[in-house]
Amino acid sequence: MALAPAFVVGPSVAVSPAALQVERTAYAVAVVARSAVVASSAALGVAGLAAAAGLRKSMRGRRSTKGSVMVGNANVAEPESYYRDHLVACRAQLNGVDAPTPEETDKHMEGIQAFAKQALAGASAAMLFTSSMEAAVAYPIFAQQNYANPREYTGKIVCANCHLASKTIDAKLPQAVLPDTIFKMEIEVPAKYAKRRQPLADGSKGPMNIGAIAVMPEGWKLAPKDRLPKPLKKEMKGLAWAPYSKDWGQQSEYPNIVVAGPVPGETYEKMVLPVLSPDPNTDDKILFGKGIFYFGGNRGRGQVYPEGNQSNNNQFLAAATGTISAIDGLKVSITTPSGEVKTQECLIGADIVVQVGDEVTKDEPITTNPNVGGFGQEEKECVLQDMNRVYAYCAFAFSCFIAQLSFVLKKKQFEKVQLAEGF
């Protein structure tokens, strides 16, 4: 049996191609272990954020988990460096052996590390998505999928097609702004979010989420993240705005229309929107002057789905005039004077307020009204101001002041001359 040739690295270390392969394998294991720990740290961070959205008390547990992960990162760094140093030392003595260089091994390990991070990041994203499904009780995606432009020719925003109840909102923005300037708008959607509960899709009661939409004039758009000042970021409280219509990998068709939500109403009752004003000096289509902004704000679930069917967030009415003959769970049977039986089926979570034997008329409420939310819209004006106009106005006002002052001084002088001449 022939033995593999041995090579000496230092005074007492013998290295063979088989030993080199062992070193490469150990190095690969160390790098993959490190990538797994790093990616796991990211996954744990995302999972912690998802848990914090539902249970604020879990913040302490998240902090302790984060600390343990950081210790793991520190422990993995040493084996990786150790095995790589040995791999480089062994490779230096194997010039004639057909083995990959440390650089090739590094490149291979980077590919494995990227794949591990991508796989774990996908798993964490799926975990976050599934964990937040129950809290999502407002769906602006319905409007985005069914309407290319959310504002109809009548001025109505399409959110009102599903959210039938009317509520008020309050939008605040500056009277005038300068070109290429970042400023904030505030959309307030008031309600007693801490007390009011609404029925969820499974019939249980849950908190109200809110959403908002802003339709700005052409050229106005959402402020880029890299230009947001820190005080404005703090006021936003992590609120994420997105273009109304956006194809992945492509530019938005309407960058001047943005939406936000669903987000917890108790946290984001006042929603801060950062806006970047256009610059007419760089775009000929943009003109100085007044622009109209349209805002919509929704709280809670809608009463109608885009397909036209009702949600369980409705008050159900009697299907005919007659007598309640039977109540089978959520099915209410009404016997008309002619003897015909009509059944009104209520959806899950409905509270029936009639009893067998009660007389009802058609379209009379037979359940309570569970809807505590609604939709409201408002429009405001903002002026895109040209500094040359401001300078011109200041010059005009100053010239008027000088003219009036000169007139008064001349009049006083004339009065003195009249007194001197005895008039």
Side-chain angles (χ1 to χ4, degrees):
M1 179 177 178
L3 297 177
F7 303 89
V8 177
V9 181
S12 60
V13 180
V15 180
S16 65
L20 175 64
Q21 185 63 27
V22 173
E23 294 288 345
R24 289 179 58 238
T25 303
Y27 174 59
V29 171
V31 174
V32 172
R34 184 188 178 202
S35 64
V37 172
V38 174
S40 300
S41 302
L44 288 175
V46 174
L49 291 176
L55 300 173
R56 298 181 178 176
K57 295 181 180 180
S58 64
M59 290 296 292
R60 296 179 180 176
R62 180 186 163 205
R63 291 171 184 166
S64 61
T65 304
K66 183 178 179 182
S68 62
V69 170
M70 292 182 66
V71 173
N73 288 343
N75 294 336
V76 173
E78 283 189 16
E80 178 189 349
S81 176
Y82 170 80
Y83 287 120
R84 191 185 187 283
D85 291 343
H86 274 257
L87 178 61
V88 173
C90 295
R91 179 59 192 171
Q93 304 297 326
L94 297 177
N95 296 328
V97 178
D98 186 14
T101 64
E103 290 73 16
E104 293 175 348
T105 304
D106 287 343
K107 187 176 181 180
H108 182 64
M109 291 304 102
E110 288 176 2
I112 297 177
Q113 186 177 6
F115 175 78
K117 287 183 179 180
Q118 185 178 4
L120 290 175
S124 62
M127 183 190 305
L128 177 61
F129 178 76
T130 55
S131 63
S132 60
M133 285 296 291
E134 294 183 358
V137 293
Y139 301 93
I141 191 66
F142 285 166
Q144 293 173 271
Q145 291 176 344
N146 291 277
Y147 302 94
N149 192 323
R151 186 173 180 271
E152 299 178 347
Y153 292 107
T154 59
K156 182 182 71 173
I157 296 179
V158 296
C159 304
N161 294 338
C162 296
H163 301 269
L164 306 181
S166 178
K167 298 290 183 178
T168 59
I169 66 170
D170 185 21
K172 299 178 181 179
L173 64 160
Q175 187 273 334
V177 295
L178 297 176
D180 194 29
T181 303
I182 293 179
F183 64 99
K184 71 173 182 179
M185 299 180 180
E186 288 186 1
I187 304 174
E188 184 177 359
V189 188
K192 297 179 180 179
Y193 298 103
K195 298 181 180 179
R196 295 185 177 178
R197 292 292 183 268
Q198 65 175 358
L200 304 181
D202 59 358
S204 61
K205 297 288 185 178
M208 284 194 296
N209 282 3
I210 65 173
I213 183 171
V215 182
M216 301 178 286
E218 186 176 356
W220 303 70
K221 59 183 180 180
L222 189 66
K225 294 182 181 180
D226 55 350
R227 294 185 57 182
L228 285 178
K230 290 184 179 180
L232 186 54
K233 287 183 180 180
K234 187 176 181 180
E235 289 185 37
M236 292 178 65
K237 300 178 183 178
L239 180 64
W241 291 84
Y244 174 79
S245 59
K246 182 178 181 181
D247 296 330
W248 294 108
Q250 300 180 8
Q251 189 175 4
S252 173
E253 184 180 0
Y254 296 103
N256 58 315
I257 305 176
V258 294
V259 295
V263 292
E266 192 172 353
T267 304
Y268 297 101
E269 184 173 350
K270 291 185 179 180
M271 311 176 76
V272 177
L273 169 61
V275 179
L276 176 63
S277 60
D279 189 359
N281 298 320
T282 59
D283 190 351
D284 297 336
K285 297 181 181 179
I286 306 300
L287 301 176
F288 289 103
K290 181 174 62 177
I292 303 178
F293 295 75
Y294 304 95
F295 302 95
N298 166 62
R299 72 217 72 183
R301 298 177 61 217
Q303 288 72 54
V304 182
Y305 288 112
E307 296 81 5
N309 54 312
Q310 285 185 326
S311 71
N312 63 336
N313 191 25
N314 273 287
Q315 185 176 36
F316 296 92
L317 310 177
T321 299
T323 305
I324 305 295
S325 57
I327 299 178
D328 182 12
L330 295 175
K331 295 182 179 180
V332 179
S333 300
I334 302 175
T335 303
T336 64
S338 62
E340 182 182 3
V341 178
K342 291 192 175 182
T343 302
Q344 173 66 57
E345 185 174 355
C346 305
L347 297 181
I348 185 171
D351 294 328
I352 299 176
V353 295
V354 294
Q355 298 178 353
V356 176
D358 291 349
E359 299 286 339
V360 294
T361 58
K362 187 178 181 180
D363 295 333
E364 179 181 343
I366 59 175
T367 65
T368 59
N369 187 1
N371 182 29
V372 292
F375 176 77
Q377 65 182 77
E378 190 175 358
E379 61 181 65
K380 294 285 185 177
E381 296 178 352
C382 183
V383 177
L384 183 60
Q385 191 61 265
D386 185 3
M387 283 305 300
N388 293 328
R389 295 182 180 181
V390 177
Y391 297 147
Y393 173 77
C394 293
F396 174 74
F398 183 73
S399 62
C400 290
F401 171 75
I402 295 297
Q404 291 292 335
L405 180 61
S406 300
F407 176 76
V408 172
L409 294 177
K410 189 64 178 178
K411 183 179 180 181
K412 292 294 183 181
Q413 183 182 16
F414 182 73
E415 290 176 354
K416 289 182 181 180
V417 172
Q418 284 183 327
L419 291 175
E421 293 180 355
F423 289 101

